[in-house]
Amino acid sequence: MSRTPRTARTSKAHDPGLAHRLSRRGMLGVAAGATAAALLGAAAAPATAAAAAETSAAGRGRPVLPPGRLGIQLYSLRDKVSTLGFAPVFAELEKYGYDEVEFAGYTQGAAGAITLAQLKRLARNHGLNPIGSHVGYYSSDPNAYTFAQNLTKVLDDAQALGLKHIGTAAGPFRYGSTVDAWKRAAEDFNTYGAAARARGMKFYQHNHSEEFSFATDNPKVRLYDVLLAETDPDLVYLEMDIYWAYSGQFRFSKRPDGTPAPFEPLDYVLKQPDRYPLFHVKDGVSDPANQYGYRMVDVGDGDIDYQRFISAVTRLRGQRFAHHWQAEHDNPTESFTFARRSSEHLHSLREKC
């Protein structure tokens, strides 16, 4: 995977999707290298800015990122939510050109109490669509806020927020790492998926690298393939964390006996694009000395070729607006800086002519 050049970045005022949002929201865009006069001009004359953006984009190729589909996993901003509260965080995300948010809990230690109704209204007031949320899979505590222990409450809360997707970032290791153990976990997921579907939502599972490991009782079988085969595609969806999928490629391209077992994460998506409504967009610098194969960095600073990945998915027939792309960094150096720079980079990517 080649490093995506950062020199391709431009002002987001050149992005037609963002120009539309500037016109709709009456806000100033925030982008590196843009002058205050240019920003004020874009806000004061949105029609002119939109026309200029269309001309610029046409000359440089279509934006890779579909308009209205950039989100962020709020876990990346948990430090800001806990100290500032949701309102200032959502205001910053609106400035940075985000369209959606994905929750990792509905308080995250937020400064000041907030109800689900208030949280939903606050997000919408800042032009942010609550698209999904991560909830625990299971717990030994019968009162835990997980799918296994409190499915009805989990779905009630998701419905109150107007979420279209509700999922878990827990791996399907509840019963172990054998083929039968994952078949049993798949049955759980089918149950949660059916309950979510009855509420008009999609249940999804978010991967880390371990999902691409091999069954302990049959090392020829990749566990992720068991999950795909044993879950109902109409009930259970996947949110591919692209960084962790490539980490899985690094770690598990050989079976325990050393025989080759190569795979390409993108191929999973291209084979079944409808199963992947959500993605986590996080970046990493290749580092073979690291046990995971990468060191996590801000989106655009690493070696994962997002121009290639996103283009390959959105160019599929009928798929351009079928997916949601959530920027994420597990431990950013400065979370607002991460959010801003990630948006800038992803908005700057263009299709190759």
Side-chain angles (χ1 to χ4, degrees), residues 164-199:
K164 296 300 183 184
H165 308 83
I166 181 69
T168 183
F173 292 96
R174 180 181 185 182
Y175 307 108
S177 299
T178 65
V179 172
D180 283 344
W182 274 52
K183 287 182 177 180
R184 189 176 175 189
E187 292 177 4
D188 287 347
F189 285 6
N190 285 333
T191 298
Y192 309 151
R197 183 178 180 178
R199 306 269 197 121

mmCIF file of all heavy atoms in Angstrom, residues 164-199:
data_model
loop_
_atom_site.group_PDB
_atom_site.id
_atom_site.type_symbol
_atom_site.label_atom_id
_atom_site.label_comp_id
_atom_site.label_asym_id
_atom_site.label_seq_id
_atom_site.Cartn_x
_atom_site.Cartn_y
_atom_site.Cartn_z
ATOM 1 N N LYS A 164 -29.895 4.633 12.624
ATOM 2 C CA LYS A 164 -30.219 3.641 11.605
ATOM 3 C C LYS A 164 -29.374 2.384 11.755
ATOM 4 O O LYS A 164 -29.670 1.357 11.141
ATOM 5 C CB LYS A 164 -30.020 4.239 10.208
ATOM 6 C CG LYS A 164 -30.949 5.402 9.885
ATOM 7 C CD LYS A 164 -32.407 4.983 9.941
ATOM 8 C CE LYS A 164 -33.330 6.132 9.550
ATOM 9 N NZ LYS A 164 -34.766 5.739 9.710
ATOM 10 N N HIS A 165 -28.306 2.486 12.558
ATOM 11 C CA HIS A 165 -27.412 1.356 12.773
ATOM 12 C C HIS A 165 -27.088 1.273 14.262
ATOM 13 O O HIS A 165 -26.903 2.296 14.913
ATOM 14 C CB HIS A 165 -26.111 1.518 11.993
ATOM 15 C CG HIS A 165 -26.291 1.807 10.532
ATOM 16 N ND1 HIS A 165 -26.532 3.085 10.072
ATOM 17 C CD2 HIS A 165 -26.258 0.999 9.455
ATOM 18 C CE1 HIS A 165 -26.660 3.047 8.749
ATOM 19 N NE2 HIS A 165 -26.491 1.793 8.349
ATOM 20 N N ILE A 166 -27.021 0.059 14.781
ATOM 21 C CA ILE A 166 -26.637 -0.149 16.175
ATOM 22 C C ILE A 166 -25.778 -1.412 16.222
ATOM 23 O O ILE A 166 -26.180 -2.454 15.700
ATOM 24 C CB ILE A 166 -27.873 -0.260 17.096
ATOM 25 C CG1 ILE A 166 -27.458 -0.462 18.553
ATOM 26 C CG2 ILE A 166 -28.837 -1.333 16.632
ATOM 27 C CD1 ILE A 166 -26.795 0.748 19.180
ATOM 28 N N GLY A 167 -24.590 -1.302 16.812
ATOM 29 C CA GLY A 167 -23.681 -2.435 16.720
ATOM 30 C C GLY A 167 -22.753 -2.575 17.900
ATOM 31 O O GLY A 167 -22.886 -1.900 18.924
ATOM 32 N N THR A 168 -21.795 -3.455 17.731
ATOM 33 C CA THR A 168 -20.816 -3.729 18.775
ATOM 34 C C THR A 168 -19.424 -3.788 18.182
ATOM 35 O O THR A 168 -19.241 -4.242 17.045
ATOM 36 C CB THR A 168 -21.128 -5.053 19.499
ATOM 37 O OG1 THR A 168 -20.201 -5.249 20.557
ATOM 38 C CG2 THR A 168 -21.065 -6.245 18.543
ATOM 39 N N ALA A 169 -18.451 -3.315 18.967
ATOM 40 C CA ALA A 169 -17.049 -3.420 18.570
ATOM 41 C C ALA A 169 -16.382 -4.607 19.252
ATOM 42 O O ALA A 169 -15.161 -4.773 19.166
ATOM 43 C CB ALA A 169 -16.299 -2.129 18.912
ATOM 44 N N ALA A 170 -17.175 -5.443 19.907
ATOM 45 C CA ALA A 170 -16.637 -6.645 20.553
ATOM 46 C C ALA A 170 -16.520 -7.768 19.537
ATOM 47 O O ALA A 170 -17.404 -7.963 18.697
ATOM 48 C CB ALA A 170 -17.552 -7.082 21.701
ATOM 49 N N GLY A 171 -15.435 -8.508 19.598
ATOM 50 C CA GLY A 171 -15.262 -9.651 18.728
ATOM 51 C C GLY A 171 -16.176 -10.798 19.131
ATOM 52 O O GLY A 171 -16.603 -10.886 20.291
ATOM 53 N N PRO A 172 -16.498 -11.687 18.206
ATOM 54 C CA PRO A 172 -17.396 -12.819 18.510
ATOM 55 C C PRO A 172 -16.690 -13.961 19.257
ATOM 56 O O PRO A 172 -16.793 -15.124 18.892
ATOM 57 C CB PRO A 172 -17.854 -13.278 17.115
ATOM 58 C CG PRO A 172 -17.465 -12.191 16.175
ATOM 59 C CD PRO A 172 -16.240 -11.571 16.769
ATOM 60 N N PHE A 173 -15.959 -13.621 20.305
ATOM 61 C CA PHE A 173 -15.177 -14.610 21.048
ATOM 62 C C PHE A 173 -15.878 -15.066 22.332
ATOM 63 O O PHE A 173 -15.254 -15.680 23.186
ATOM 64 C CB PHE A 173 -13.808 -14.031 21.415
ATOM 65 C CG PHE A 173 -12.903 -13.790 20.226
ATOM 66 C CD1 PHE A 173 -12.831 -12.539 19.629
ATOM 67 C CD2 PHE A 173 -12.132 -14.815 19.707
ATOM 68 C CE1 PHE A 173 -12.003 -12.311 18.536
ATOM 69 C CE2 PHE A 173 -11.295 -14.602 18.619
ATOM 70 C CZ PHE A 173 -11.230 -13.345 18.026
ATOM 71 N N ARG A 174 -17.165 -14.788 22.460
ATOM 72 C CA ARG A 174 -17.885 -15.085 23.698
ATOM 73 C C ARG A 174 -17.748 -16.544 24.112
ATOM 74 O O ARG A 174 -17.591 -16.859 25.298
ATOM 75 C CB ARG A 174 -19.361 -14.722 23.530
ATOM 76 C CG ARG A 174 -20.201 -14.996 24.765
ATOM 77 C CD ARG A 174 -21.661 -14.644 24.526
ATOM 78 N NE ARG A 174 -22.455 -14.789 25.742
ATOM 79 C CZ ARG A 174 -23.771 -14.581 25.811
ATOM 80 N NH1 ARG A 174 -24.431 -14.211 24.718
ATOM 81 N NH2 ARG A 174 -24.411 -14.737 26.961
ATOM 82 N N TYR A 175 -17.799 -17.437 23.148
ATOM 83 C CA TYR A 175 -17.787 -18.869 23.455
ATOM 84 C C TYR A 175 -16.456 -19.535 23.106
ATOM 85 O O TYR A 175 -16.337 -20.761 23.208
ATOM 86 C CB TYR A 175 -18.923 -19.566 22.702
ATOM 87 C CG TYR A 175 -20.269 -18.916 22.937
ATOM 88 C CD1 TYR A 175 -20.887 -18.170 21.926
ATOM 89 C CD2 TYR A 175 -20.914 -19.016 24.162
ATOM 90 C CE1 TYR A 175 -22.116 -17.558 22.128
ATOM 91 C CE2 TYR A 175 -22.154 -18.411 24.379
ATOM 92 C CZ TYR A 175 -22.744 -17.677 23.358
ATOM 93 O OH TYR A 175 -23.961 -17.063 23.575
ATOM 94 N N GLY A 176 -15.486 -18.752 22.688
ATOM 95 C CA GLY A 176 -14.190 -19.308 22.347
ATOM 96 C C GLY A 176 -13.781 -19.006 20.917
ATOM 97 O O GLY A 176 -14.377 -18.150 20.246
ATOM 98 N N SER A 177 -12.758 -19.725 20.442
ATOM 99 C CA SER A 177 -12.176 -19.451 19.120
ATOM 100 C C SER A 177 -12.265 -20.657 18.194
ATOM 101 O O SER A 177 -11.506 -20.746 17.225
ATOM 102 C CB SER A 177 -10.710 -19.035 19.278
ATOM 103 O OG SER A 177 -10.602 -17.866 20.056
ATOM 104 N N THR A 178 -13.184 -21.563 18.477
ATOM 105 C CA THR A 178 -13.402 -22.703 17.588
ATOM 106 C C THR A 178 -14.461 -22.350 16.550
ATOM 107 O O THR A 178 -15.166 -21.338 16.674
ATOM 108 C CB THR A 178 -13.871 -23.935 18.375
ATOM 109 O OG1 THR A 178 -15.162 -23.651 18.942
ATOM 110 C CG2 THR A 178 -12.877 -24.285 19.488
ATOM 111 N N VAL A 179 -14.572 -23.173 15.546
ATOM 112 C CA VAL A 179 -15.600 -22.950 14.527
ATOM 113 C C VAL A 179 -16.987 -22.971 15.155
ATOM 114 O O VAL A 179 -17.823 -22.089 14.901
ATOM 115 C CB VAL A 179 -15.483 -24.009 13.413
ATOM 116 C CG1 VAL A 179 -16.677 -23.902 12.453
ATOM 117 C CG2 VAL A 179 -14.179 -23.845 12.642
ATOM 118 N N ASP A 180 -17.261 -23.970 15.994
ATOM 119 C CA ASP A 180 -18.583 -24.057 16.621
ATOM 120 C C ASP A 180 -18.854 -22.886 17.558
ATOM 121 O O ASP A 180 -20.000 -22.420 17.671
ATOM 122 C CB ASP A 180 -18.715 -25.376 17.387
ATOM 123 C CG ASP A 180 -18.955 -26.559 16.466
ATOM 124 O OD1 ASP A 180 -19.326 -26.331 15.292
ATOM 125 O OD2 ASP A 180 -18.769 -27.707 16.914
ATOM 126 N N ALA A 181 -17.805 -22.397 18.227
ATOM 127 C CA ALA A 181 -17.971 -21.241 19.110
ATOM 128 C C ALA A 181 -18.409 -20.016 18.310
ATOM 129 O O ALA A 181 -19.286 -19.252 18.757
ATOM 130 C CB ALA A 181 -16.671 -20.962 19.854
ATOM 131 N N TRP A 182 -17.837 -19.843 17.139
ATOM 132 C CA TRP A 182 -18.217 -18.692 16.314
ATOM 133 C C TRP A 182 -19.571 -18.897 15.659
ATOM 134 O O TRP A 182 -20.286 -17.929 15.404
ATOM 135 C CB TRP A 182 -17.111 -18.391 15.306
ATOM 136 C CG TRP A 182 -16.066 -17.496 15.919
ATOM 137 C CD1 TRP A 182 -15.409 -17.708 17.099
ATOM 138 C CD2 TRP A 182 -15.616 -16.241 15.416
ATOM 139 N NE1 TRP A 182 -14.553 -16.662 17.354
ATOM 140 C CE2 TRP A 182 -14.650 -15.757 16.342
ATOM 141 C CE3 TRP A 182 -15.891 -15.495 14.286
ATOM 142 C CZ2 TRP A 182 -13.993 -14.547 16.171
ATOM 143 C CZ3 TRP A 182 -15.227 -14.293 14.095
ATOM 144 C CH2 TRP A 182 -14.296 -13.814 15.036
ATOM 145 N N LYS A 183 -19.936 -20.126 15.385
ATOM 146 C CA LYS A 183 -21.287 -20.377 14.887
ATOM 147 C C LYS A 183 -22.311 -20.012 15.964
ATOM 148 O O LYS A 183 -23.371 -19.452 15.664
ATOM 149 C CB LYS A 183 -21.445 -21.846 14.503
ATOM 150 C CG LYS A 183 -20.727 -22.236 13.222
ATOM 151 C CD LYS A 183 -20.985 -23.701 12.886
ATOM 152 C CE LYS A 183 -20.332 -24.092 11.571
ATOM 153 N NZ LYS A 183 -20.586 -25.517 11.233
ATOM 154 N N ARG A 184 -21.980 -20.303 17.200
ATOM 155 C CA ARG A 184 -22.881 -19.964 18.305
ATOM 156 C C ARG A 184 -22.985 -18.450 18.470
ATOM 157 O O ARG A 184 -24.084 -17.917 18.670
ATOM 158 C CB ARG A 184 -22.364 -20.614 19.581
ATOM 159 C CG ARG A 184 -23.312 -20.522 20.761
ATOM 160 C CD ARG A 184 -22.747 -21.274 21.948
ATOM 161 N NE ARG A 184 -23.588 -21.094 23.142
ATOM 162 C CZ ARG A 184 -23.236 -21.504 24.355
ATOM 163 N NH1 ARG A 184 -22.077 -22.127 24.535
ATOM 164 N NH2 ARG A 184 -24.049 -21.295 25.384
ATOM 165 N N ALA A 185 -21.859 -17.748 18.362
ATOM 166 C CA ALA A 185 -21.889 -16.283 18.430
ATOM 167 C C ALA A 185 -22.684 -15.713 17.265
ATOM 168 O O ALA A 185 -23.409 -14.717 17.411
ATOM 169 C CB ALA A 185 -20.470 -15.730 18.430
ATOM 170 N N ALA A 186 -22.561 -16.346 16.097
ATOM 171 C CA ALA A 186 -23.325 -15.893 14.933
ATOM 172 C C ALA A 186 -24.824 -16.000 15.190
ATOM 173 O O ALA A 186 -25.611 -15.145 14.748
ATOM 174 C CB ALA A 186 -22.932 -16.701 13.699
ATOM 175 N N GLU A 187 -25.237 -17.036 15.908
ATOM 176 C CA GLU A 187 -26.652 -17.159 16.275
ATOM 177 C C GLU A 187 -27.095 -15.989 17.152
ATOM 178 O O GLU A 187 -28.196 -15.446 16.982
ATOM 179 C CB GLU A 187 -26.891 -18.485 17.000
ATOM 180 C CG GLU A 187 -26.736 -19.718 16.126
ATOM 181 C CD GLU A 187 -26.916 -21.004 16.915
ATOM 182 O OE1 GLU A 187 -27.232 -20.927 18.121
ATOM 183 O OE2 GLU A 187 -26.747 -22.085 16.323
ATOM 184 N N ASP A 188 -26.228 -15.603 18.097
ATOM 185 C CA ASP A 188 -26.528 -14.418 18.912
ATOM 186 C C ASP A 188 -26.716 -13.205 18.026
ATOM 187 O O ASP A 188 -27.686 -12.436 18.173
ATOM 188 C CB ASP A 188 -25.390 -14.146 19.896
ATOM 189 C CG ASP A 188 -25.318 -15.129 21.044
ATOM 190 O OD1 ASP A 188 -26.280 -15.891 21.245
ATOM 191 O OD2 ASP A 188 -24.288 -15.113 21.750
ATOM 192 N N PHE A 189 -25.789 -13.005 17.113
ATOM 193 C CA PHE A 189 -25.836 -11.822 16.248
ATOM 194 C C PHE A 189 -27.082 -11.835 15.374
ATOM 195 O O PHE A 189 -27.695 -10.785 15.132
ATOM 196 C CB PHE A 189 -24.579 -11.751 15.388
ATOM 197 C CG PHE A 189 -23.342 -11.308 16.134
ATOM 198 C CD1 PHE A 189 -23.358 -11.110 17.499
ATOM 199 C CD2 PHE A 189 -22.155 -11.081 15.453
ATOM 200 C CE1 PHE A 189 -22.230 -10.700 18.191
ATOM 201 C CE2 PHE A 189 -21.013 -10.662 16.131
ATOM 202 C CZ PHE A 189 -21.049 -10.475 17.494
ATOM 203 N N ASN A 190 -27.471 -13.014 14.885
ATOM 204 C CA ASN A 190 -28.708 -13.095 14.098
ATOM 205 C C ASN A 190 -29.921 -12.684 14.928
ATOM 206 O O ASN A 190 -30.843 -12.019 14.433
ATOM 207 C CB ASN A 190 -28.900 -14.516 13.567
ATOM 208 C CG ASN A 190 -27.973 -14.852 12.410
ATOM 209 O OD1 ASN A 190 -27.548 -13.978 11.676
ATOM 210 N ND2 ASN A 190 -27.659 -16.137 12.261
ATOM 211 N N THR A 191 -29.916 -13.069 16.211
ATOM 212 C CA THR A 191 -31.009 -12.676 17.111
ATOM 213 C C THR A 191 -31.053 -11.163 17.276
ATOM 214 O O THR A 191 -32.128 -10.541 17.185
ATOM 215 C CB THR A 191 -30.837 -13.350 18.484
ATOM 216 O OG1 THR A 191 -30.900 -14.768 18.325
ATOM 217 C CG2 THR A 191 -31.922 -12.891 19.455
ATOM 218 N N TYR A 192 -29.894 -10.555 17.521
ATOM 219 C CA TYR A 192 -29.849 -9.103 17.695
ATOM 220 C C TYR A 192 -30.222 -8.401 16.382
ATOM 221 O O TYR A 192 -30.906 -7.365 16.402
ATOM 222 C CB TYR A 192 -28.459 -8.645 18.127
ATOM 223 C CG TYR A 192 -27.887 -9.389 19.314
ATOM 224 C CD1 TYR A 192 -26.509 -9.554 19.473
ATOM 225 C CD2 TYR A 192 -28.717 -9.958 20.286
ATOM 226 C CE1 TYR A 192 -25.982 -10.244 20.547
ATOM 227 C CE2 TYR A 192 -28.187 -10.647 21.372
ATOM 228 C CZ TYR A 192 -26.817 -10.796 21.483
ATOM 229 O OH TYR A 192 -26.295 -11.486 22.544
ATOM 230 N N GLY A 193 -29.780 -8.977 15.271
ATOM 231 C CA GLY A 193 -30.098 -8.390 13.977
ATOM 232 C C GLY A 193 -31.585 -8.415 13.682
ATOM 233 O O GLY A 193 -32.137 -7.443 13.138
ATOM 234 N N ALA A 194 -32.242 -9.502 14.037
ATOM 235 C CA ALA A 194 -33.692 -9.593 13.815
ATOM 236 C C ALA A 194 -34.433 -8.577 14.673
ATOM 237 O O ALA A 194 -35.386 -7.925 14.212
ATOM 238 C CB ALA A 194 -34.165 -11.013 14.121
ATOM 239 N N ALA A 195 -33.981 -8.420 15.924
ATOM 240 C CA ALA A 195 -34.626 -7.454 16.817
ATOM 241 C C ALA A 195 -34.404 -6.026 16.325
ATOM 242 O O ALA A 195 -35.314 -5.190 16.385
ATOM 243 C CB ALA A 195 -34.085 -7.617 18.238
ATOM 244 N N ALA A 196 -33.206 -5.737 15.833
ATOM 245 C CA ALA A 196 -32.921 -4.403 15.306
ATOM 246 C C ALA A 196 -33.732 -4.135 14.039
ATOM 247 O O ALA A 196 -34.287 -3.045 13.855
ATOM 248 C CB ALA A 196 -31.429 -4.267 15.015
ATOM 249 N N ARG A 197 -33.795 -5.127 13.183
ATOM 250 C CA ARG A 197 -34.549 -4.959 11.937
ATOM 251 C C ARG A 197 -36.019 -4.667 12.219
ATOM 252 O O ARG A 197 -36.656 -3.872 11.509
ATOM 253 C CB ARG A 197 -34.407 -6.217 11.080
ATOM 254 C CG ARG A 197 -35.103 -6.118 9.734
ATOM 255 C CD ARG A 197 -34.880 -7.369 8.905
ATOM 256 N NE ARG A 197 -35.544 -7.276 7.613
ATOM 257 C CZ ARG A 197 -35.481 -8.210 6.672
ATOM 258 N NH1 ARG A 197 -34.785 -9.320 6.890
ATOM 259 N NH2 ARG A 197 -36.110 -8.059 5.528
ATOM 260 N N ALA A 198 -36.582 -5.298 13.254
ATOM 261 C CA ALA A 198 -37.982 -5.050 13.609
ATOM 262 C C ALA A 198 -38.208 -3.605 14.021
ATOM 263 O O ALA A 198 -39.344 -3.109 13.978
ATOM 264 C CB ALA A 198 -38.395 -5.995 14.736
ATOM 265 N N ARG A 199 -37.125 -2.923 14.407
ATOM 266 C CA ARG A 199 -37.214 -1.505 14.794
ATOM 267 C C ARG A 199 -36.773 -0.575 13.664
ATOM 268 O O ARG A 199 -36.652 0.630 13.861
ATOM 269 C CB ARG A 199 -36.305 -1.240 15.995
ATOM 270 C CG ARG A 199 -36.528 -2.152 17.203
ATOM 271 C CD ARG A 199 -37.528 -1.582 18.175
ATOM 272 N NE ARG A 199 -37.430 -2.242 19.466
ATOM 273 C CZ ARG A 199 -37.165 -1.629 20.610
ATOM 274 N NH1 ARG A 199 -36.970 -0.313 20.638
ATOM 275 N NH2 ARG A 199 -37.106 -2.310 21.736
#
